[in-house]
Amino acid sequence: MTEGNIQLQRGRRTGRRTGGGATPRTLLPLRRVSSHLSNSISCWYCDFKSSVFNEPLFQFGRKYFRWLRIWFSIGMGFSLTTLIGVTLIILLESARALNLYNGIPWLNNILNGSIFGSYSSLYNITVADIGYMCISSIISVSIHELGHALSATSEGIQIEYTAVFLAVLFPGALVAFNDDLLQMIPRVATLRIYCAGIWHNAALCLVCALTLFLLPFIFYPLYSHGESLMVLDVSPKSPLYGHLSPGDIITMLDGAHVHTTKEWMNISYVLDKQKSQTNKGYCVPNLMIAGSKNPEITDNKFTCPNDLTLFTTISCNSRTNETNHQQTKEHIYCFPAKGVLGEKKCGDGWGNLVKDDGNCLCTDDESCSSPIHTLGVTWVEITFSRHECGNKENKCGGSFVFVGDIISMARSIRVTNYQSRWFYGVVYFPVVVEKLLVNIFHVSLMLALLNSLPVYYLDGESILEVALCCFSSLTPRIRELVVRSCLVGGTLICCLLISRILFLVISE
């Protein structure tokens, strides 16, 4: 992957010479659009070159060269630190892959969670996700190349042209300079130019992170945030399909108020862990219990016909489990799950929602009935309201019970923290902005890390070479040997790590 790789070094690094203005050989003829625009097309490569931005960038760089040099000097220090850090990480990761050591716990969590663990969802990528990735790549690469261009112009080097290209299926961009002029400036200035792309990608990550943090305040006049969840989409494969619709507002999950998507998932995880430890009861009238169906016994287990659910009567303040349920057949019956909704709650599974101070809330004509949990099944009550009714549950909306795998249920629908104050249709706008910022952050971070690697054809190659010239007293021959050894080793290790990632993806 060669996004952001700057073409301003020697002919051995570039497949296209920038000093003489020559263009690559193509299978199709070169078409000249104008004196400032040109493009070349072949069966494996196409690009679009432009010199329109040459003069504006040069004028800006020369006008603010003092401030830009300070800015890119900071970036040089950051990029060199990143190069050292990334090199150590790939060495540690390669040693862990070869079982030479177990690794550092916090580093293992980061690598497994953010790098290898993220590849498990590659098969669920949608067309919209591809669009986000393309836009994010264009923005991140443009910012990367802008860093190279501004740093070069601040040193007095004129740009020959800027270009975007597509090599096979990989997009990229480049900024071309005159190689002779580059060799005339001090090496520290050259190092600033090479480090500028990484530094700009890091700055873009910071801007995205700050914008994401401030997004609720930015959208406050038009959107509310963190009051409750709005449903954006319910897949036909979701167990909630037919119960929730786009525009519905989820207010509570099992009696706990839900404000954000993070709370939605956190509460789901907590309920999944506690499903066999607590009892959620309802005060069901004894007459309704008397009219319920008796359970059937299959393979020494109680089962209910049709869509009925197993219930058992419990003491308001006592904990029971499945083994107790099986010992008292006379207290087990089959009842429709939705039949208990609206009844008073009892038992110890509702947390602070039910406070009876040791006294049962059920009357003498009622019994505290609790659903019997089975392995992998959780009983969850979801309270919602319709969008046009706001959060006033007493006017419209209501509650329903979900019985099944709560984690799969929570992931099966798309929800957002934002609610439009005016029109429902525009609720997608902050969601799009939020997702685009997240994708730009990840792509820009990936570009910064990739170009920090000491491998061939990326910025790390030039940074390593020039840095050794600036900050070491090695002879040219030894320096060349060190550079080649680092590049060959770094390239091989990165290829092995990429192969390992691909193997993990295919194996899943």
Side-chain angles (χ1 to χ4, degrees), residues 9-261:
Q9 192 54 312
R10 302 158 180 76
R12 68 175 181 84
R13 293 196 61 246
T14 61
R16 303 158 64 194
R17 302 188 63 84
T18 60
T23 57
R25 298 178 60 185
T26 63
L27 299 181
L28 297 180
L30 181 69
R31 296 184 297 173
R32 294 285 180 180
V33 181
S34 69
S35 59
H36 295 288
L37 305 174
S38 67
N39 68 292
S40 57
I41 303 174
S42 72
C43 61
W44 63 274
Y45 178 89
C46 64
D47 67 7
F48 177 83
K49 307 185 196 68
S50 173
S51 59
V52 175
F53 304 104
N54 291 10
E55 193 59 29
L57 287 175
F58 187 78
Q59 294 297 331
F60 182 86
R62 297 311 299 159
K63 183 177 181 180
Y64 300 102
F65 74 95
R66 291 186 179 87
W67 295 106
L68 289 175
R69 286 182 182 178
I70 295 174
W71 168 253
F72 290 116
S73 293
I74 299 173
M76 180 179 66
F78 173 85
S79 300
L80 292 175
T81 304
T82 304
L83 185 144
I84 296 173
V86 171
T87 301
L88 291 176
I89 288 176
I90 64 172
L91 289 175
L92 292 173
E93 182 60 20
S94 61
R96 189 168 72 96
L98 296 174
N99 295 323
L100 299 180
Y101 89 121
N102 295 327
I104 304 173
W106 64 267
L107 181 59
N108 293 340
N109 294 333
I110 293 176
L111 291 174
N112 293 330
S114 62
I115 298 179
F116 303 120
S118 61
Y119 286 90
S120 60
S121 61
L122 284 178
Y123 299 106
N124 299 323
I125 293 178
T126 64
V127 176
D129 294 329
I130 296 175
Y132 282 117
M133 290 298 296
C134 290
I135 296 174
S136 302
S137 297
I138 292 173
I139 294 175
S140 299
V141 171
S142 299
I143 295 298
H144 182 101
E145 295 303 327
L146 180 63
H148 287 309
L150 290 178
S151 180
T153 55
S154 69
E155 304 294 344
I157 297 179
Q158 181 66 269
I159 301 173
E160 290 194 350
Y161 61 83
T162 58
V164 292
F165 63 86
L166 182 66
V168 189
L169 295 177
F170 297 100
L174 59 90
V175 177
F177 304 96
N178 189 296
D179 185 59
D180 295 333
L181 293 177
L182 187 66
Q183 304 305 318
M184 297 172 59
I185 63 176
R187 288 174 178 172
V188 174
T190 305
L191 188 58
R192 279 199 294 263
I193 296 174
Y194 284 129
C195 295
I198 298 173
W199 176 235
H200 266 213
N201 280 134
L204 180 59
C205 289
L206 179 61
V207 170
C208 290
L210 290 176
T211 305
L212 283 170
F213 177 75
L214 297 174
L215 211 56
F217 303 98
I218 297 174
F219 286 135
Y220 180 79
L222 300 177
Y223 301 90
S224 60
H225 179 273
E227 295 181 1
S228 54
L229 292 182
M230 176 175 283
V231 179
L232 292 177
D233 181 56
V234 183
S235 170
K237 297 181 180 180
S238 171
L240 300 183
Y241 185 76
H243 299 279
L244 293 175
S245 303
D248 289 349
I249 299 172
I250 300 176
T251 55
M252 288 191 295
L253 183 62
D254 232 37
H257 286 276
V258 183
H259 304 92
T260 63
T261 54

Side-chain angles (χ1 to χ4, degrees), residues 156 258 313 370 442:
V258 183
T313 55
S370 173
H442 288 150

Side-chain angles (χ1 to χ4, degrees), residues 3 37 69 99 102 139 156 160 175 178 199 223 265 267 280 292 302 314 328 337 365 412 420 440 455 490 505:
E3 292 103 332
L37 305 174
R69 286 182 182 178
N99 295 323
N102 295 327
I139 294 175
E160 290 194 350
V175 177
N178 189 296
W199 176 235
Y223 301 90
M265 292 306 303
I267 295 175
K280 300 168 185 176
S292 63
F302 291 110
I314 62 173
T328 55
D365 297 330
S412 67
S420 175
I440 293 174
V455 298
V505 173

